[in-house]
Amino acid sequence: MNKKQKKMLVRIIVATVLMIALNFIPAKGATRFLLYLIPYIIIGYDILIKAIKGIKNGQAFDESLLMAIATIGAMALAIYEDGDYMEAIAVMLFYQIGEWFQSYAVGKSRRNISSLMDIRPDYANIEKNGKLEQVDPDEVGIGSVVVVQPGEKVPIDGTVVVGSSSLNTSALTGESLPREVSVGDEIISGCINITGVLKIKTSKEFGESTVSKILELVENASSRKSKSEDFITKFARIYTPVVVYSAIALAIIPPLVRMFGMGLGADWGTWIYRALTFLVISCPCALVISIPLSFFAGIGGASKEGVLVKGSNYLEILAQTKYVVFDKTGTLTQGVFEVNGVHHNKMEEKMLLEYAALVESASSHPISKSLQHAYGKEIDRSRVTDIQEISGNGVTAKVDGTTVAAGNAKLMKKLGIKYMECHDVGTIIHMAVNEEYAGHIIISDIVKPHSKEAIAALKAAGVEKTIILTGDSKRVADQVAGYLGLDEVYSELLPADKVSKVEELLSLKLDKAKLAFVGDGINDAPVLTRADIGIAMGAMGSDAAIEAADVVLMDDDPLKIVKAIKISRKCLRIVHQNIWFAIGIKLICLVLGAIGIANMWLAIFADVGVMIIAILNAIRALFTKKL
């Protein structure tokens, strides 16, 4: 509990004790009123101040005004009829208990999200003259070497250049098992170093590192409202003034009718009491508080599992997802390509690999990296000139003045070079040297361990179609899709083709069904934006993909997609339960209050009781382990 919550709890306890104690004091008249006024002021002074401020600011119609009118009116009636002051104090007391529950619940949800703030590093260690100097992470430039000792947070994304260690990534990914890293491994900021000392060469500035991106996403998540939240906000703006005017009408019209001889057997005091009861019952606290809290708790629960949702509107869309479209490389597969075959034609294998590695040296694509890795020597880029990348086809360049082309069959056809067909499974890189076919290199990707399980789990969760879009050859795409159990396959697509295909799928689906696209690369950003909801692999995904996506999976595990959908559906179920429960109970109690059956104690239940039940129900969205 924070200081404000502790202070409120003390006020609740003091007011409760005084209210009970006053029942045993035989006071009458003004003395009795003044004694009961003490616990009323203790528990309700802030509500009265809010109501006055609301009237001054032109925003009078809120729950504070309803509580103020109802309790002041009840106190006035008790004075007029020498009645019981307990009801007025009880209304304010139980309302404040409900507010305390709401504050505690929001705090718990916020702590789940704010626990991510612990990943923010306070400093970075730079080695100078044999000593470690702590500097602000913002001052560390790209290419600097930072030292991370056991127990410290990795301050900036980079590559390990010295040392090996275990990393605690739970704050980022929700995964409790440590990750082992050694020289050459990429490492993201926000992880906690557990064992050995690491030296990391930074690849980004602090403002562009993973930890900064995550914190920015978390801080902005609550600003994007769902349709349900927008509806409740608009509903409350109209509902509250209508309730106030209805209560005034209920207090005035029946006694006036009686005065004019219409035979309604009730006096002013009875109808004013019913109007005050009506006001307490009608307070929209349960809806106004529990609906945003449900979404907030859902976002908090998801973040605890390593799934960052950028807003409650995306949580709502995710719950309606019936079509999941995947990019292949880095999403369902590891994006770790290995050369597992070289077929050469009148050229030595080593020479063919050398040409391939050099001509692809300017590219950061995983396939290019695998060629460079297979070459096994340091790349001398000064040997390569006139590099020209042909989108969706390959690369041409001059290596030591020799014209070299590396790419798929489309590139060979484009250059008018007769090539050898290859039916091996994998990505085929055809090579041409001096406009003559020199052979081809076979590169294979590795399917992620949980991809097959994730596809099966999505179908079990009610996803109607799972689809793969890839630039790979039909043969490779069909093999991966068949192994994983995907419903549809679209291969040999350029980045623009992926956008067109998603637009086509969007036009064919049912209106209420939503389409999610899952990707990780720079070329996935346009598709992530175009889909109903974009899901990016965050651990090793590109910055562009993370920026464009609506949901970010922090450990690149496709099983987290299923977890995210289940969390969103649970959250939406809770929202709908709270809406129907709150409205249903209030309508019943409003009718009972208007006809005089419901008293102020039932009104307290209809307001505060329903609010507490709705809040406790909303908190369930935080718990996701069994989903």
Side-chain angles (χ1 to χ4, degrees):
M1 286 189 290
N2 57 33
K3 287 183 180 179
K4 188 176 180 181
Q5 289 167 348
K6 289 179 181 177
K7 184 179 178 183
M8 175 54 71
L9 188 59
V10 170
R11 287 172 57 194
I12 289 170
I13 293 169
V14 170
T16 303
V17 170
L18 286 175
M19 189 173 70
I20 294 170
L22 287 173
N23 284 313
F24 300 100
I25 298 176
K28 293 184 179 180
T31 304
R32 183 165 176 265
F33 166 71
L34 290 172
L35 286 173
Y36 274 99
L37 189 62
I38 294 170
Y40 176 79
I41 295 297
I42 288 172
I43 197 63
Y45 72 86
D46 54 336
I47 301 299
L48 300 177
I49 291 170
K50 282 181 188 176
I52 293 167
K53 285 182 177 178
I55 294 169
K56 285 183 178 179
N57 296 332
Q59 297 176 336
F61 294 110
D62 60 12
E63 58 267 25
S64 297
L65 179 68
L66 296 184
M67 286 296 107
I69 294 174
T71 53
I72 290 171
M75 292 286 280
L77 271 180
I79 294 170
Y80 177 73
E81 297 179 347
D82 195 24
D84 189 3
Y85 295 99
M86 287 279 287
E87 286 184 341
I89 299 170
V91 168
M92 193 66 84
L93 176 64
F94 284 108
Y95 175 77
Q96 291 285 40
I97 290 172
E99 287 287 295
W100 185 87
F101 265 96
Q102 180 258 343
S103 174
Y104 182 79
V106 167
K108 187 172 178 62
S109 301
R110 193 179 297 278
R111 281 193 298 276
N112 254 355
I113 296 177
S114 296
S115 62
L116 282 172
M117 298 305 171
D118 291 338
I119 67 178
R120 185 192 296 276
D122 300 317
Y123 60 86
N125 294 320
I126 300 291
E127 192 170 0
K128 291 184 178 179
N129 300 321
K131 294 183 179 181
L132 292 184
E133 182 180 325
Q134 292 186 354
V135 300
D136 192 311
D138 280 315
E139 297 175 6
V140 180
I142 297 172
S144 303
V145 175
V146 297
V147 179
V148 184
Q149 300 180 99
E152 293 183 333
K153 296 164 193 163
V154 176
I156 304 171
D157 296 8
T159 304
V160 178
V161 291
V162 176
S164 61
S165 181
S166 298
L167 299 179
N168 179 351
T169 64
S170 58
L172 293 172
T173 67
E175 177 57 59
S176 57
L177 290 174
R179 176 191 165 200
E180 302 297 326
V181 294
S182 57
V183 175
D185 289 338
E186 292 184 8
I187 188 171
I188 57 175
S189 51
C191 303
I192 299 174
N193 187 18
I194 301 174
T195 53
V197 176
L198 294 175
K199 290 188 178 181
I200 300 165
K201 187 175 183 179
T202 62
S203 57
K204 297 178 182 177
E205 292 181 347
F206 176 69
E208 296 300 318
S209 63
T210 301
V211 66
S212 296
K213 297 284 185 184
I214 292 171
L215 295 176
E216 186 180 341
L217 295 182
V218 171
E219 287 161 0
N220 294 332
S222 61
S223 64
R224 298 178 176 92
K225 303 297 183 185
S226 67
K227 289 182 180 179
S228 300
E229 288 176 287
D230 286 337
F231 165 76
I232 293 301
T233 303
K234 293 173 184 176
F235 173 79
R237 286 175 189 162
I238 299 169
Y239 171 83
T240 307
V242 167
V243 161
V244 172
Y245 295 134
S246 298
I248 293 170
L250 187 63
I252 295 173
I253 294 175
L256 287 177
V257 171
R258 181 173 181 268
M259 285 176 62
F260 288 101
M262 299 300 289
L264 287 177
D267 57 18
W268 284 95
T270 299
W271 286 101
I272 289 173
Y273 181 81
R274 290 184 186 180
L276 295 174
T277 303
F278 183 90
L279 274 181
V280 176
I281 294 170
S282 61
C283 187
C285 301
L287 289 173
V288 172
I289 291 171
S290 70
I291 305 309
L293 178 60
S294 299
F295 283 109
F296 199 67
I299 292 171
S303 68
K304 188 170 62 175
E305 294 296 318
V307 178
L308 297 186
V309 184
K310 292 186 180 180
S312 54
N313 54 331
Y314 302 125
L315 207 62
E316 196 167 44
I317 294 170
L318 196 60
Q320 300 167 349
T321 298
K322 294 294 182 183
Y323 299 81
V324 180
V325 182
F326 295 90
D327 174 56
K328 182 180 78 68
T329 306
T331 304
L332 293 174
T333 62
Q334 294 183 12
V336 178
F337 291 84
E338 295 178 353
V339 172
N340 58 22
V342 180
H343 297 171
H344 48 93
N345 182 27
K346 297 180 182 179
M347 181 175 286
E348 288 184 7
E349 182 177 314
K350 288 183 179 179
M351 182 60 72
L352 191 66
L353 276 173
E354 183 176 355
Y355 274 134
L358 287 165
V359 79
E360 293 274 7
S361 61
S363 175
S364 60
H365 192 280
I367 288 178
S368 303
K369 288 184 177 180
S370 68
L371 289 169
Q372 294 168 38
H373 184 264
Y375 174 50
K377 297 179 181 179
E378 189 174 344
I379 301 294
D380 182 1
R381 294 196 181 186
S382 65
R383 295 172 60 190
V384 188
T385 57
D386 299 340
I387 298 173
Q388 183 179 358
E389 186 168 347
I390 304 170
S391 181
N393 288 260
V395 180
T396 63
K398 285 187 177 180
V399 178
D400 298 330
T402 301
T403 302
V404 179
N408 55 25
K410 291 180 184 177
L411 180 63
M412 296 297 108
K413 290 176 183 177
K414 187 180 184 71
L415 298 175
I417 296 171
K418 189 176 180 181
Y419 62 95
M420 183 189 301
E421 291 284 356
C422 179
H423 300 289
D424 290 350
V425 174
T427 300
I428 310 302
I429 306 296
H430 292 283
M431 298 290 300
V433 178
N434 283 332
E435 300 181 357
E436 287 187 11
Y437 190 66
H440 55 261
I441 300 167
I442 304 163
I443 298 172
S444 298
D445 196 358
I446 302 170
V447 174
K448 287 184 177 179
H450 293 147
S451 291
K452 191 171 185 177
E453 185 183 349
I455 300 301
L458 282 170
K459 291 180 178 179
V463 171
E464 294 173 7
K465 277 190 179 181
T466 52
I467 302 158
I468 187 171
L469 306 182
T470 179
D472 280 353
S473 68
K474 186 177 187 304
R475 185 181 65 260
V476 173
D478 287 346
Q479 188 213 29
V480 172
Y483 171 73
L484 296 177
L486 291 150
D487 297 312
E488 294 181 12
V489 188
Y490 299 96
S491 55
E492 300 180 4
L493 300 175
L494 300 175
D497 296 331
K498 291 183 182 180
V499 177
S500 301
K501 182 54 67 175
V502 165
E503 288 179 342
E504 181 185 328
L505 292 168
L506 286 168
S507 68
L508 294 173
K509 69 179 178 63
L510 297 174
D511 289 340
K512 290 186 178 180
K514 300 300 181 184
L515 182 146
F517 179 82
V518 189
D520 78 315
I522 293 173
N523 61 355
D524 293 328
V527 202
L528 288 164
T529 305
R530 183 64 190 89
D532 289 322
I533 187 160
I535 303 173
M537 298 293 178
M540 293 303 169
S542 73
D543 290 344
I546 293 171
E547 289 288 340
D550 309 310
V551 177
V552 181
L553 310 180
M554 289 315 302
D555 64 353
D556 289 1
D557 184 353
L559 267 177
K560 288 292 174 73
I561 302 166
V562 187
K563 176 78 79 172
I565 289 175
K566 287 184 176 180
I567 289 170
S568 66
R569 288 179 180 172
K570 179 181 178 180
C571 182
L572 261 289
R573 282 197 303 271
I574 290 170
V575 167
H576 294 151
Q577 287 166 5
N578 283 346
I579 289 174
W580 288 111
F581 173 70
I583 291 176
I585 295 295
K586 283 187 180 293
L587 286 175
I588 293 169
C589 292
L590 282 172
V591 172
L592 294 176
I595 61 178
I597 296 176
N599 60 15
M600 195 67 79
W601 293 101
L602 183 61
I604 292 169
F605 168 74
D607 175 33
V608 180
V610 169
M611 177 171 67
I612 291 174
I613 292 170
I615 287 170
L616 293 175
N617 192 36
I619 293 174
R620 290 196 304 116
L622 280 170
F623 305 107
T624 60
K625 288 293 182 184
K626 293 182 181 180
L627 288 176

